[in-house]
Amino acid sequence: MHYYRYSNAEVSCWYKYLLFSYNIVFWLAGVAFLAAGLWAWSEKGVLSDLTKVTGLHGLDPVLLVLVVGIVMFTLGFAGCVGALRENICLLKFFCGAIVFIFLLEVAVAVLAFLFQDWVRDRVKEFFENNIKSYRDDIDLQNLIDSLQKINHCCGAQGPDDWDFNIYFNCSSESKSREKCGVPFSCCIPDPAQKVVNTQCGYDIRKKSKSQWDDQIFVKGCILALEAWLPRNIYIVAGVFIAISLLQIFGIFLARTLISDIEAVKAGNAF
């Protein structure tokens, strides 16, 4: 073990630079997320008109990317500078934030398990709100399309949920060509077609429901996700455990370094 600089209590170089290496990864990842998010917003013209963010009633995926980027950038910066400069305030901020995030993850997991019906209702409400904004944001549109194609599902609880969207609504007032249809991502793909038919869902809900099975996915995405989770429980658990271990390791490094620095300061006081 290498030590430096202090004759009595000493700060471990191993812990110091291991914590720096740990955080430089988070900092660089945060920079990448922020760069990607800002680029996506500039492409959509949001940076020149921020009211577009508040005007969207659904989730803007880019906003989620930016929030994650800001958190990772801030924690990575605090951890890197705190370790290199042996700054107890920054190290305590980093450690406290990681502990808070870890406890928040555990609390969410426990509450989601205990209140499954409430969570299901909130997910349904969230999905329906995003269906309403399907045509309002290209990133949200791509996210919903990907979710429906990957899980072979349509709508929150079924294809009729697309009535929440003004373009797909079956009401007589609607003048949209997509009236009483569903997005192309709800369509069962035809292996013979090499080009995606983006109009495959037009007028499909004007037909009897018995005809839907051959043309579109009829299972709702909430049911599809509920069926997916038990099949992949080991993968989900593995990812959660891996993230938790990384967070615990970061907390351990930060607390160890803080203890070393405090011991050095206490020794120098006498």
Side-chain angles (χ1 to χ4, degrees), residues 10-11 32 74 87:
E10 296 156 325
V11 175
T74 304
N87 187 303

Side-chain angles (χ1 to χ4, degrees), residues 26-224:
F26 278 92
W27 184 79
L28 290 173
V31 171
F33 274 96
L34 283 173
L38 291 173
W39 173 80
W41 264 8
S42 68
E43 288 293 302
K44 295 193 293 186
V46 175
L47 293 181
S48 58
D49 184 10
L50 291 177
T51 57
K52 291 182 179 180
V53 179
T54 56
L56 182 66
H57 298 294
L59 169 71
D60 183 354
V62 177
L63 183 60
L64 183 61
V65 170
L66 286 171
V67 170
V68 172
I70 290 170
V71 172
M72 295 182 71
F73 179 89
T74 304
L75 291 181
F77 178 81
C80 286
V81 176
L84 286 179
R85 302 297 298 171
E86 297 173 12
N87 187 303
I88 290 180
C89 289
L90 286 176
L91 289 173
K92 285 184 175 180
F93 168 76
F94 168 78
C95 187
I98 295 293
V99 169
F100 173 76
I101 293 171
F102 175 74
L103 293 177
L104 186 63
E105 291 169 353
V106 174
V108 169
V110 171
L111 291 174
F113 178 76
L114 294 177
F115 302 100
Q116 295 181 27
D117 291 337
W118 183 87
V119 171
R120 189 179 294 108
D121 290 340
R122 298 291 76 75
V123 171
K124 176 177 175 292
E125 182 181 327
F126 175 77
F127 205 106
E128 289 173 353
N129 285 334
N130 284 289
I131 285 176
K132 294 177 184 176
S133 303
Y134 176 77
R135 288 296 188 206
D136 299 341
D137 183 86
I138 187 62
D139 293 314
L140 176 61
Q141 181 176 313
N142 290 334
L143 181 63
I144 293 176
D145 285 337
S146 297
L147 179 65
Q148 293 189 145
K149 284 190 289 188
I150 292 171
N151 292 284
H152 293 177
C153 60
C154 187
Q157 294 186 307
D160 281 331
D161 286 335
W162 283 98
D163 268 337
F164 289 110
N165 187 280
I166 58 172
Y167 298 100
F168 297 97
N169 192 286
C170 285
S171 66
S172 57
E173 292 82 11
S174 176
K175 304 299 181 183
S176 170
R177 178 62 190 88
E178 297 175 309
K179 175 181 176 180
C180 242
V182 292
F184 76 95
S185 54
C186 286
C187 296
I188 298 174
D190 184 353
Q193 285 186 339
K194 295 184 179 180
V195 179
V196 176
N197 179 11
T198 57
Q199 299 180 0
C200 59
Y202 283 13
D203 302 323
I204 186 66
R205 289 189 295 124
K206 291 180 180 178
K207 303 176 182 179
S208 64
K209 292 189 176 183
S210 61
Q211 296 179 283
W212 292 4
D213 290 346
D214 297 328
Q215 299 179 57
I216 62 172
F217 304 121
V218 294
K219 181 189 292 185
C221 288
I222 294 178
L223 291 175

